[in-house]
């Protein structure tokens, strides 16, 4: 289609467009049909010409019938008056309703949003275009979470070595009356005797070795980004006594945790690798402590080792974590002053005690992916989202090869009437260009709604063909006279366009159908058959009411 308006009334421009397309236009009372416009357009179809004309005049359209449109000003008040709204309910499987509500409000500027956390439901009310975009956004985020199993193999090896070697001499010598008398008369010095504790000498010959191994092999199933913990150990009782007036002695008990505590958080990345955050805390018993008093209170000396790390592994890859070593060495000696420190002979005059405690932990970590999170289809990764003021607005971008000029270009042409009209570049729509036909369907249609299939001839040759459709899903529109045979023949004039009306049958909600263009034929000036290429997609998604 070629349009050329120079300071033309708006009503005249729509009359011209109506003659070319067969469409009817009704105008809102606030549309200034006497306003002027200047526009030059080449190689555009009806939809492109109409969208560009409405955008330049700040107008909007509303389909009343398959071939009748209402034109009204693109003001907020008029949009609220004329735009049809839809209510759509999204029952979510994996996504959080609050997060989806925030997404739709931020991306689509939708104000009418409600959630029901009990049903995992989000309800929105907006224009059909915004609802269609919301369906695609929700389909992209409502994906099942990945799940994995983490296999842990924990080995704790501890060894204790103790030795006690030497002769224990008495620590004191006593001189006094025999028989354990508590008082000694003056002048009884000759009766005094010297004594030491019984036994006088004690030889210590002891060596202890203790080995212990703790082996655990737990398996944890985690959901992506969820936290999990594991505790392996026991509780030590701690007794304490309190004496008070009129109540006597009261004994209470509390518990001290000892053992291993693990905290895990796993994240499955889009490339299938797994990031695991690991916190490990180990508490072990070092000894028992008793306080003075009757009865004595009991407490324990607890050793603690902890670590925190983040590892990134592939599915089935094992990570070895070692090095949490605890080592304690003690040496103690008692005996006769000076003599007990003699080399070699010192053990005859005292006792030496040596103690060595050593513990080590080995942890094997192996993640295994049970269910990967599927990525959205490529069609959901990039979506047209209108303009900042209207995220659901239709794109104004014209197809490659469409030549459009507004006031400035038209003014230049008026200044030089002899200037040639813009022509298509060679290789696009020229006589030597390979002929092609573009099909446009709009992508979706509702049950009972008329679907206009637009076919555009991009060559300077007469082309013929057939549009085939599914008889169970579509039927020719009432305005058409063709029988319902599953195909509609068409003839495309050079650089021309035709619209084939179809109506969606009931009971076809949720079905995706493909309209096919077959038997494309054409001849060049020499009468030779042409090979015609098909562009665009005939895919149609049928929506429910």
């Amino acid at each position: 289609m070629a349009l050329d308006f120079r300071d033309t009334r708006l009503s005249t421009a729509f009359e011209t467009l109506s003659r070319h397309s067969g469409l009817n236009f009704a105008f809102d009372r606030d549309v200034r049909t006497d306003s002027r416009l200047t526009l030059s357009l080449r190689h555009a179809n009806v939809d492109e010409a109409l969208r560009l004309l409405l955008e330049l005049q700040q107008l909007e359209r509303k389909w009343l019938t398959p071939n009748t449109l209402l034109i009204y000003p693109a003001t907020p008040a008029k949009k609220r008056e004329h735009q049809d709204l839809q209510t759509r309910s999204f029952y979510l499987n994996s996504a959080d309703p609050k997060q989806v509500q925030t997404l739709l409000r931020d991306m689509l500027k939708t104000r009418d949003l409600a959630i029901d956390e009990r049903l995992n439901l989000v309800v929105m009310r907006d224009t059909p275009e915004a609802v269609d975009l919301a369906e695609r956004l929700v389909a992209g985020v409502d994906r099942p979470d990945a799940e994995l199993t983490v296999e842990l193999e924990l080995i704790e090896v501890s060894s204790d070595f103790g030795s006690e070697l030497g002769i224990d001499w008495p620590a004191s010598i006593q001189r006094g009356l025999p028989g354990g008398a508590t008082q000694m008369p003056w002048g009884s010095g000759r009766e005094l005797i010297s004594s030491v504790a019984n036994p006088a000498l004690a030889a210590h010959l002891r060596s202890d070795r203790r080995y212990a191994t703790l082996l655990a092999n737990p398996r944890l199933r985690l959901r992506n980004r969820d936290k999990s913990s594991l505790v392996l150990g026991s509780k030590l009782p701690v007794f304490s006594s309190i004496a008070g007036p009129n109540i006597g002695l009261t004994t209470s008990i509390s518990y001290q945790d000892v053992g291993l505590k693990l905290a895990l958080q796993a994240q499955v990345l889009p490339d299938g690798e797994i990031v695991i955050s690991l916190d490990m805390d180990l508490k072990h018993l070092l000894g028992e402590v008793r306080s003075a008093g009757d009865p004595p209170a009991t407490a324990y000396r607890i050793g603690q080792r902890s670590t925190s790390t983040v590892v990134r592994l592939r599915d089935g890859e094992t990570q070895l974590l070692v090095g949490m070593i605890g080592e304690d060495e003690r040496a103690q000696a008692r005996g006769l002053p000076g003599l007990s420190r003699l080399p070699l002979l010192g053990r005859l005059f005292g006792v030496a005690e040596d103690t060595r405690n050593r513990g080590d932990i080995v942890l094997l970590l192996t993640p295994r992916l049970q269910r990967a999170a599927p990525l959205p289809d490529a069609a959901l990764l990039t979506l047209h989202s209108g303009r900042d003021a209207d995220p659901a607005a239709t794109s104004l971008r014209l197809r490659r090869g469409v030549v459009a000029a507004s006031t400035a270009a038209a003014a230049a042409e008026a200044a030089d009437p002899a200037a040639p009209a813009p022509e298509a570049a060679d290789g696009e729509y020229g006589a030597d260009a390979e002929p092609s036909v573009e099909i446009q369907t709009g992508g979706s249609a509702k049950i009972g709604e008329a679907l206009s299939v637009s076919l555009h001839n991009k060559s300077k040759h007469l082309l013929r063909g057939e549009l085939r459709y599914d008889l169970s899903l579509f039927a020719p529109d009432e305005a058409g006279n063709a029988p319902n045979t599953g195909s509609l023949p068409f003839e495309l004039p050079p650089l021309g366009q035709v619209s084939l009306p179809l109506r969606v049958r009931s009971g076809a909600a949720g079905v995706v159908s493909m309209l096919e263009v077959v038997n494309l034929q054409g001849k060049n000036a020499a009468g030779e058959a042409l090979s015609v290429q098909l562009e665009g997609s005939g895919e149609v998604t049928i929506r429910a009411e």
Side-chain angles (χ1 to χ4, degrees):
M1 175 185 296
L3 298 175
D4 193 3
F5 301 122
R6 295 184 180 87
D7 196 26
T8 305
R9 290 170 56 93
L10 181 62
S11 58
T12 304
F14 274 103
E15 289 175 2
T16 303
L17 193 61
S18 177
R19 288 195 301 269
H20 282 78
S21 63
L23 298 175
N24 303 317
F25 298 101
F27 297 93
D28 182 89
R29 61 180 179 274
D30 292 332
V31 176
R32 297 178 55 190
T33 57
D34 58 346
S35 61
R36 302 279 178 169
L37 73 123
T38 298
L39 175 65
S40 180
L41 195 63
R42 299 288 187 272
H43 312 304
N45 58 34
V46 175
D47 182 68
E48 290 170 335
L50 181 59
R51 283 191 287 115
L52 186 58
L53 181 60
L54 294 176
E55 185 68 23
L56 292 176
Q57 297 298 309
Q58 297 184 353
L59 301 173
E60 285 284 353
R61 62 180 174 177
K62 176 182 178 181
W63 288 92
L64 302 179
T65 67
N67 63 342
T68 304
L69 292 90
L70 172 65
I71 308 300
Y72 60 91
T75 61
K78 287 298 181 180
K79 287 182 177 181
R80 288 193 297 269
E81 179 181 347
H82 292 294
Q83 279 186 337
D84 294 329
L85 300 180
Q86 288 183 349
T87 299
R88 177 71 162 88
S89 299
F90 298 98
Y91 288 90
L92 307 176
N93 295 318
S94 302
D96 188 307
K98 292 183 178 179
Q99 294 180 355
V100 173
Q101 181 187 35
T102 303
L103 173 69
L104 297 181
R105 180 175 288 119
D106 293 344
M107 299 299 296
L108 303 181
K109 308 299 187 292
T110 300
R111 294 178 299 174
D112 299 336
L113 282 170
I115 64 172
D116 188 337
E117 296 188 68
R118 181 179 62 89
L119 298 176
N120 221 32
L121 170 68
V122 177
V123 182
M124 70 173 294
R125 181 172 179 264
D126 211 323
T127 62
E129 294 79 10
V131 170
D132 182 67
L133 183 56
E135 291 176 349
R136 297 170 182 264
L137 289 175
V138 173
V141 300
D142 190 22
R143 321 295 294 182
D145 292 325
E147 292 188 7
L148 69 154
T149 299
V150 179
E151 299 178 358
L152 299 171
E153 294 185 23
L154 176 66
I155 304 173
E156 181 186 2
V157 180
S158 62
S159 61
D160 299 332
F161 171 77
S163 65
E164 188 176 5
L165 180 62
I167 298 176
D168 199 357
W169 293 77
S172 62
I173 300 176
Q174 299 178 359
R175 185 173 176 80
L177 294 174
T182 58
Q183 294 183 353
M184 185 176 65
W186 187 261
S188 58
R190 293 184 178 184
E191 299 178 6
L192 299 178
I193 62 174
S194 299
S195 64
V196 296
N198 187 31
L201 298 175
H204 294 268
L205 303 172
R206 181 179 63 84
S207 178
D208 297 330
R209 290 179 181 271
R210 292 190 299 271
Y211 297 94
T213 301
L214 172 64
L215 178 63
N217 187 19
R219 295 187 179 185
L220 304 176
R221 180 156 182 150
L222 308 175
R223 193 174 64 171
N224 191 29
R225 293 183 177 272
D226 279 358
K227 295 182 179 180
S228 181
S229 60
L230 173 68
V231 178
L232 298 174
S234 60
K235 293 180 178 290
L236 295 177
V238 179
F239 296 93
S240 60
S241 299
I242 301 176
N246 302 325
I247 60 174
L249 188 65
T250 302
T251 302
S252 62
I253 184 172
S254 60
Y255 293 91
Q256 174 69 49
D257 292 329
V258 293
L260 179 67
K261 182 177 181 180
L262 288 173
L264 295 173
Q265 184 178 20
Q267 178 185 0
V268 181
L269 302 179
D271 60 1
E273 294 194 354
I274 303 166
V275 176
I276 298 179
S277 300
L278 174 65
D279 295 323
M280 185 163 56
D281 187 15
L282 176 65
K283 294 182 179 179
H284 56 284
L285 178 64
L286 295 179
E288 183 178 300
V289 180
R290 292 181 178 271
S291 66
D294 188 19
T298 303
Y300 299 96
R301 290 189 301 112
I302 304 297
Q304 183 176 7
R305 285 174 282 169
S306 61
T307 185
S308 179
T309 186
V310 178
V311 295
R312 178 168 176 166
L313 304 172
R314 294 186 293 271
D315 182 23
E317 184 179 3
T318 300
Q319 176 67 46
L320 177 65
L321 301 176
V322 295
M324 291 189 64
I325 301 175
E327 190 167 358
D328 182 20
E329 294 187 7
R330 296 184 181 184
Q332 182 178 358
R334 65 178 184 273
L336 299 178
L339 296 177
S340 61
R341 297 184 179 182
L342 293 174
L344 299 179
L345 299 178
R347 297 298 177 94
L348 299 176
F349 302 99
V351 178
E353 296 183 13
D354 296 324
T355 303
R356 291 196 301 271
N357 299 322
R358 180 184 176 90
D360 193 6
I361 295 178
V362 178
L363 178 63
L364 299 176
L365 183 70
T366 306
R368 300 192 184 278
L369 194 60
Q370 300 296 326
R371 182 175 65 188
L375 293 177
D377 296 336
L380 299 177
L381 297 180
T382 303
L383 302 176
H384 170 72
S385 57
R387 297 180 288 274
D388 183 68
D390 188 3
T394 305
S395 175
L396 191 61
R397 181 178 297 177
L398 303 180
R399 292 175 295 107
R400 180 176 178 268
V402 177
V403 180
S406 188
T407 306
E413 185 176 350
D416 184 10
E423 293 291 339
D426 291 341
E428 290 185 1
Y429 297 102
D432 296 332
E434 184 177 11
S436 63
V437 172
E438 181 182 18
I439 180 172
Q440 296 178 350
T441 64
S444 64
K446 294 191 300 185
I447 293 178
E449 184 180 62
L451 173 66
S452 179
V453 183
S454 178
L455 297 171
H456 176 60
N457 185 358
K458 292 185 175 183
S459 70
K460 293 186 177 181
H461 306 284
L462 178 66
L463 303 177
R464 295 183 177 86
E466 295 181 9
L467 176 70
R468 288 186 180 176
Y469 56 89
D470 190 338
L471 286 172
S472 63
L473 303 178
F474 302 98
D477 189 50
E478 296 176 355
N481 297 321
N484 191 11
T485 60
S487 66
L488 291 176
F490 61 85
E491 181 177 288
L492 285 171
L495 300 177
Q497 174 180 312
V498 296
S499 295
L500 303 178
L502 295 175
R503 185 166 296 277
V504 183
R505 291 179 176 271
S506 61
V511 177
V512 178
S513 181
M514 183 65 69
L515 304 180
E516 297 179 334
V517 176
V518 297
N519 299 329
L520 275 175
Q521 300 176 0
K523 294 183 178 181
N524 58 17
E528 300 173 343
L530 298 173
S531 176
V532 184
Q533 302 295 323
L534 181 65
E535 299 178 0
S537 174
E539 182 177 293
V540 178
T541 301
I542 301 176
R543 308 192 308 270
E545 290 290 347

